[in-house]
Amino acid sequence: MNFQRTVCLLLCAWAVAAEVLDFEDKSPNDLCYICSCNEGHTEIDCSRRGLRDLPGGLDAKVKKLNISNNEIATFPEGLSKLSNLIKLDISGNRLTELPKNGLSNLSALEELNLSRNYLENWITMSPNDFLVPAVNLKVLDLSYNRFKSMDNLAKIELLISSSLETLIMDHCEIESISGNSMLSGLGNIKVLKLNYNPLVTLQGLISPTLRSLYVNNCQLTSIEQNELSYLPSLIHLLMAHNYRLELADLHSTSLRFLDISYCNVLRPNLNGFPNLKKALVNHNMIRFLRSYEFINNTKLEYLDLSYNNIGSIKADTFRGLGLLKYLDLSWNEIGMIPEGALLEMPSLSQLKLARNYLNQVGHIKSISLTTLDMSACEIHTIGKDSLEGLQSLIDLDLSRNLLSHIPDSISSNTLKYLNLNYNRLSMVNNFTFFMLPRLTGLAVVGNRFTNVWNKAYFDSNLYLERLDLSDNMWRCDCRDANMYDFFEFVTLEPFKKEESYNLVCSSPVNVIGQAWLEACYFIWYPTQNVANADSLIWFIVVMITGLALCILLVNCIRNSMKRRLRAIQAERERQVEEARDRLRQLRLRAEQESLINAPDPRDLIAPPSYDEALTMPKLNSSTHSLCDAGTGKTKKRRGRRKTKSSGDLLDETERNGDLPVFEDTELSETPDNNRRRRRRPPRRFGSHEIAELEHSPGARRRQVSEYEAGDDSVTIEIEAEMERPRNRRHSGGDEPRESNF
Ligand SMILES: *[C@@H]1O[C@H](CO)[C@@H](O)[C@H](O)[C@H]1NC(C)=O
Ligand SMILES: *[C@@H]1O[C@H](CO)[C@@H](O)[C@H](O)[C@H]1NC(C)=O
Ligand SMILES: *[C@@H]1O[C@H](CO)[C@@H](O)[C@H](O)[C@H]1NC(C)=O
Ligand SMILES: *[C@@H]1O[C@H](CO)[C@@H](O)[C@H](O)[C@H]1NC(C)=O
Ligand SMILES: *[C@@H]1O[C@H](CO)[C@@H](O)[C@H](O)[C@H]1NC(C)=O
């Protein structure tokens, strides 16, 4: 029975929980629990969630949906709800086919990523229909599918979309494109990427709109001569890393950018591209450049011919390159630059000739060249007038050559940076840089200089800012004043030209490997020892001063803290005083009020309590005397009682000046009672009782005898003694007070 009930309860709970979960499943919050959403739930990222279908909770708000890297095997139908979807990423799933109406209602879709799926056949994509509903689709990524071929011998295999601009089919194992143009159904195609496909040839690419064609890393061997003429809008053609590709006499008037690096080009053959601006022909097999090689490339601005085997250049090779600014001929086999060759390029500003077989700088002429790199060229000679033909030269790199001598008065009015690193130079003199008035930076790292330079070498180089002198074999003759002079010239701020640690001695033996400064320190600064003693004294003085300052500071802090503490103390006392005052006033007022409101004290006299009665003197006399006593003594007692109470008050005011004791007020709510009690500790010996005793000597004697043994007797007597004068006094000062009541 009990067990059944439990089970029932559990089931109920489960049902409720399921209900709740179900409910939450449908709320967008839960979608965002599974996936990550942006603030307005317009961008949902459900990638890598192991999903097999769309998650629940998606609604038309969604603009970007990422369901990449899941287990989706059939194209999700629920997508048609998402009429505002702009970007859809289904890459990395298991789609093998695409349904005809898969994108129906997705009229806002602009980017669709279907890469890394299992689409194997062009036909299974429903190419005629699939993209049609997505009237705004711009980008379709189909890379990393395995199409094998894009042959479309029958028209039905055309991919049709009037809006698509970018089609990406990298890594698709496509071997051939043949038949009718695969692009003819794409009326707005601009970019086609076919990188990393084992394509041997390009054929049947017809598109009046295509601007960029990417066929890098394919296996192209040749392109038909008129192939590009079917692509009249082509601007970018990228065909790098087709290791067997040669350039036939291709022709395109629209082409502006050509990348044919890492191919098998034997001749640049760029004449068919009159509007070319940038050409990368590096890493090819070009062996020579003929006359008028680039005669039609009048728009060319950037030409990279590096890493070829160019051995010879004609004086008129570069004719026609009127706009060329950058020419890279490095890593070739050029032995000589014909004198006027660069003059054909009136706009050339950067020329790279590194790693060629030039053995002298020669007499290059260019009116525009600013940067010339002739590093690693086996150059051993530079003529005195070598630079005179380079009227705009600013930066000359002659590093890693075989130069052992720089002629005197090598001249250039514009040269600013001269790099002579890693040559074999061992000597410069007063006249070496004499004719380089603009020289700003000079580098001679890794040469063979031994004699320390003289700062007079740079007398005419007013702009010199930087000298790289490291890695030379300086002989440190510290006693030579010139060395110190030059050291200062090079390292002294604010005109420092080199770090002092880069200046290292190679001889004599005793200072090998030491920096100049280290080696020559005690010779250059002989007073340093004294200075050291001085500095020790200084150090001590500074230390002592510092210590004193520290102590002063600590004292200051301590004093200020003390002062603050004192202030706090004073403030606290003042507050206590105030509180006391206030209480005092309150008490006074309370007392006055109580006095005013007090009933006639005579009414307060109650009949004696039982205890009191017991202590009262026994009536020995006759009732007469009692009567007498009754009339007389009662009055008397009353008076005394009254006197007593007002006397108490008076007494108190007397004792404490005119103010009552603070502690008392604090300690008890009924100070009067308390005080009264204290005033006459054993209640039995209250003033009136004692007065009473006085009147009956017999009784008194008896009373005293009761307490004879012990201190109490003394107390009693003292008490009695004390009571008496007070009573006397009070009875005297009673009258005016009495009148107050
Ligand atoms: C989708 O998610 C994957 C993996 O998290 C990411 O690499 C990709 O860039 C995302 N796609 C978009 C369109 O943001
Ligand atoms: C298409 O989107 C509209 C909203 O724009 C929606 O009402 C309609 O149900 C959607 N059609 C389908 C088949 O989901
Ligand atoms: C498509 O997704 C892949 C990752 O799967 C990504 O590398 C690629 O860049 C995406 N394509 C586009 C156009 O964003
Ligand atoms: C250079 O261009 C002209 C037209 O601009 C053309 O007639 C000529 O054939 C081209 N030269 C080469 C070698 O292609
Ligand atoms: C270089 O000039 C300095 C000073 O102008 C002079 O003392 C020195 O002898 C000259 N050296 C040579 C090698 O001409």
Side-chain angles (χ1 to χ4, degrees):
M1 189 67 191
N2 227 345
F3 174 71
Q4 272 174 352
R5 197 180 295 164
T6 316
V7 167
C8 196
L9 269 174
L10 275 176
L11 277 176
C12 275
W14 181 78
V16 167
E19 193 77 31
V20 167
L21 282 178
D22 204 19
F23 170 72
E24 280 193 356
D25 211 357
K26 280 168 195 151
S27 82
N29 286 341
D30 196 52
L31 171 71
C32 296
Y33 180 73
I34 297 170
C35 307
S36 63
C37 308
N38 72 340
E39 223 166 74
H41 295 190
T42 55
E43 295 177 20
I44 317 275
D45 183 355
C46 301
S47 61
R48 298 178 203 280
R49 303 295 201 280
L51 301 171
R52 283 167 193 281
D53 199 356
L54 282 187
L58 288 168
D59 58 28
K61 263 191 308 191
V62 181
K63 292 193 169 142
K64 288 188 190 174
L65 177 61
N66 190 344
I67 45 173
S68 68
N69 301 295
N70 284 295
E71 316 275 316
I72 299 169
T74 52
F75 198 82
E77 277 173 23
L79 282 173
S80 51
K81 283 191 300 201
L82 313 180
S83 49
N84 291 309
L85 197 63
I86 292 172
K87 210 167 170 180
L88 175 59
D89 188 348
I90 326 185
S91 61
N93 281 285
R94 300 176 172 193
L95 299 175
T96 53
E97 54 180 38
L98 303 175
K100 277 186 179 182
N101 53 357
L103 299 179
S104 66
N105 228 13
L106 298 184
S107 55
L109 193 65
E110 290 178 6
E111 199 177 313
L112 175 59
N113 197 335
L114 284 164
S115 68
R116 294 176 197 271
N117 276 285
Y118 298 163
L119 299 169
E120 286 193 2
N121 197 327
W122 201 217
I123 307 285
T124 58
M125 274 183 67
S126 317
N128 286 356
D129 309 298
F130 181 69
L131 298 180
V132 173
V135 291
N136 277 305
L137 190 69
K138 302 249 161 35
V139 181
L140 173 61
D141 192 344
L142 288 167
S143 46
Y144 289 96
N145 284 283
R146 295 184 195 125
F147 289 114
K148 306 279 189 204
S149 88
M150 288 187 74
D151 296 346
N152 50 351
L153 298 168
K155 281 243 175 202
I156 42 165
E157 290 135 28
L158 279 178
L159 190 62
I160 291 174
S161 166
S162 57
S163 58
L164 193 68
E165 292 179 355
T166 303
L167 175 60
I168 306 173
M169 301 185 76
D170 300 340
H171 293 274
C172 281
E173 299 181 14
I174 298 167
E175 285 163 5
S176 63
I177 302 171
S178 61
N180 289 315
S181 173
M182 63 174 280
L183 299 180
S184 51
L186 302 171
N188 203 25
I189 188 79
K190 299 217 161 74
V191 180
L192 175 62
K193 297 193 181 184
L194 290 166
N195 303 314
Y196 294 95
N197 282 293
L199 276 171
V200 176
T201 185
L202 281 181
Q203 242 183 350
L205 282 181
I206 301 169
S207 168
T209 54
L210 194 71
R211 296 158 68 94
S212 303
L213 177 59
Y214 292 71
V215 280
N216 299 311
N217 294 85
C218 295
Q219 293 174 13
L220 297 173
T221 55
S222 68
I223 295 172
E224 291 299 315
Q225 195 174 347
N226 53 0
E227 189 64 41
L228 296 183
S229 58
Y230 305 128
L231 301 169
S233 301
L234 195 67
I235 290 173
H236 299 95
L237 177 58
L238 296 96
M239 314 191 279
H241 295 272
N242 287 281
Y243 301 113
R244 286 185 267 168
L245 181 64
E246 269 184 72
L247 263 188
D249 297 322
L250 291 177
H251 187 84
S252 166
T253 49
S254 55
L255 201 68
R256 304 242 186 90
F257 180 88
L258 174 68
D259 182 356
I260 189 167
S261 54
Y262 297 92
C263 291
N264 193 34
V265 176
L266 298 175
R267 281 177 46 210
N269 248 338
L270 302 178
N271 275 326
F273 308 120
N275 287 309
L276 203 61
K277 275 181 130 174
K278 183 168 180 176
L280 308 178
V281 201
N282 50 301
H283 290 90
N284 275 291
M285 302 289 175
I286 303 167
R287 304 177 71 97
F288 53 88
L289 296 175
R290 299 168 304 167
S291 294
Y292 305 115
E293 187 77 75
F294 306 101
I295 188 69
N296 272 9
N297 303 118
T298 50
K299 307 272 174 65
L300 200 61
E301 292 176 8
Y302 186 107
L303 177 58
D304 187 350
L305 289 165
S306 61
Y307 294 90
N308 278 284
N309 303 324
I310 301 167
S312 67
I313 291 173
K314 300 276 192 288
D316 45 12
T317 290
F318 301 111
R319 181 155 305 168
L321 292 171
L323 296 177
L324 197 72
K325 294 193 176 96
Y326 177 96
L327 176 60
D328 193 344
L329 287 166
S330 53
W331 289 84
N332 277 289
E333 295 164 9
I334 300 166
M336 202 219 10
I337 306 283
E339 216 177 296
L342 305 187
L343 285 174
E344 307 282 357
M345 300 174 280
S347 302
L348 189 70
S349 72
Q350 249 195 85
L351 175 60
K352 299 207 167 195
L353 288 167
R355 283 276 178 166
N356 277 286
Y357 298 156
L358 305 165
N359 50 29
Q360 53 184 5
V361 176
H363 295 92
I364 307 171
K365 288 201 179 80
S366 167
I367 48 165
S368 53
L369 197 66
T370 58
T371 306
L372 177 57
D373 180 358
M374 297 180 94
S375 59
C377 279
E378 302 177 18
I379 294 169
H380 51 70
T381 313
I382 178 169
K384 185 174 167 173
D385 50 357
S386 279
L387 308 182
E388 276 171 11
L390 300 166
Q391 295 170 21
S392 305
L393 191 65
I394 288 173
D395 189 339
L396 176 60
D397 189 348
L398 288 169
S399 62
R400 295 174 200 276
N401 278 295
L402 306 172
L403 290 169
S404 55
H405 173 70
I406 307 279
D408 287 357
S409 307
I410 180 171
S411 77
S412 168
N413 283 327
T414 50
L415 192 70
K416 282 184 170 179
Y417 305 100
L418 179 57
N419 187 342
L420 293 166
N421 292 340
Y422 304 103
N423 276 282
R424 298 173 178 179
L425 300 171
S426 58
M427 226 200 82
V428 286
N429 62 39
N430 280 1
F431 307 106
T432 310
F433 310 112
F434 180 63
M435 297 290 275
L436 300 174
R438 297 270 153 186
L439 193 65
T440 307
L442 173 67
V444 292
V445 175
N447 278 280
R448 299 179 180 177
F449 291 105
T450 49
N451 291 332
V452 171
W453 290 6
N454 188 314
K455 72 177 181 186
Y457 296 174
F458 300 102
D459 275 352
S460 56
N461 309 113
L462 302 176
Y463 301 100
L464 191 71
E465 284 172 1
R466 179 87 208 149
L467 271 178
D468 290 318
L469 300 169
S470 59
D471 204 2
N472 277 289
M473 305 201 280
W474 303 109
R475 189 176 62 242
C476 293
D477 185 0
C478 299
R479 305 212 174 265
D480 182 358
N482 175 56
M483 184 173 172
Y484 179 65
D485 268 7
F486 186 67
F487 179 74
E488 278 209 321
F489 172 71
V490 172
T491 60
L492 212 64
E493 298 281 7
F495 301 110
K496 190 165 94 171
K497 299 165 185 72
E498 171 68 299
E499 302 297 337
S500 67
Y501 53 76
N502 280 331
L503 298 168
V504 177
C505 305
S506 285
S507 63
V509 183
N510 59 326
V511 291
I512 287 177
Q514 289 185 16
W516 290 14
L517 185 61
E518 196 182 352
C520 301
Y521 192 72
F522 292 112
I523 294 162
W524 289 350
Y525 308 103
T527 53
Q528 281 305 301
N529 283 328
V530 181
N532 270 351
D534 271 1
S535 72
L536 188 69
I537 289 168
W538 267 111
F539 180 74
I540 290 169
V541 167
V542 167
M543 280 299 286
I544 288 170
T545 321
L547 212 67
L549 279 176
C550 264
I551 290 169
L552 211 70
L553 196 72
V554 167
N555 268 341
C556 271
I557 291 170
R558 199 187 290 163
N559 279 346
S560 80
M561 276 171 74
K562 260 187 204 161
R563 250 194 314 254
R564 272 204 62 187
L565 271 177
R566 235 176 289 146
I568 290 170
Q569 194 91 22
E571 173 65 15
R572 204 174 290 155
E573 272 166 18
R574 197 185 57 78
Q575 280 174 358
V576 167
E577 206 56 49
E578 253 180 36
R580 276 182 190 168
D581 270 356
R582 226 176 305 127
L583 276 164
R584 213 174 281 140
Q585 276 158 17
L586 276 174
R587 194 182 147 228
L588 268 179
R589 205 183 310 144
E591 269 175 6
Q592 274 165 15
E593 272 171 18
S594 69
L595 282 178
I596 289 163
N597 297 336
D600 190 328
R602 275 164 300 192
D603 299 340
L604 289 176
I605 296 172
S609 70
Y610 181 68
D611 280 348
E612 271 176 313
L614 278 182
T615 59
M616 275 183 180
K618 281 205 176 122
L619 280 176
N620 294 329
S621 42
S622 66
T623 32
H624 273 293
S625 59
L626 182 67
C627 268
D628 280 346
T631 49
K633 272 184 191 166
T634 328
K635 256 181 198 164
K636 208 176 185 179
R637 201 189 294 151
R638 268 183 195 159
R640 270 189 201 139
R641 182 70 166 260
K642 178 177 71 188
T643 315
K644 170 72 187 101
S645 62
S646 56
D648 245 354
L649 197 68
L650 250 181
D651 175 39
E652 201 171 70
T653 43
E654 255 173 30
R655 249 192 308 136
N656 308 319
D658 63 333
L659 297 167
V661 185
F662 183 66
E663 284 83 6
D664 282 0
T665 344
E666 256 180 4
L667 284 172
S668 83
E669 285 158 336
T670 53
D672 280 271
N673 284 343
N674 213 4
R675 204 168 305 114
R676 201 173 295 143
R677 232 173 277 135
R678 255 197 306 149
R679 291 259 99 219
R680 17 171 210 176
R683 192 164 153 59
R684 284 179 280 185
F685 306 108
S687 56
H688 60 287
E689 282 95 347
I690 287 166
E692 214 76 65
L693 287 173
E694 263 176 77
H695 285 273
S696 51
R700 187 191 170 192
R701 212 179 305 126
R702 192 167 51 247
Q703 199 71 18
V704 168
S705 66
E706 272 180 35
Y707 291 89
E708 230 158 28
D711 309 354
D712 281 2
S713 57
V714 183
T715 320
I716 294 156
E717 268 165 11
I718 289 166
E719 283 284 332
E721 285 293 319
M722 281 174 68
E723 286 301 319
R724 233 173 292 132
R726 202 177 66 178
N727 283 342
R728 228 182 295 132
R729 191 183 64 210
H730 283 185
S731 52
D734 224 346
E735 302 317 317
R737 214 154 264 270
E738 187 110 346
S739 69
N740 284 344
F741 291 105

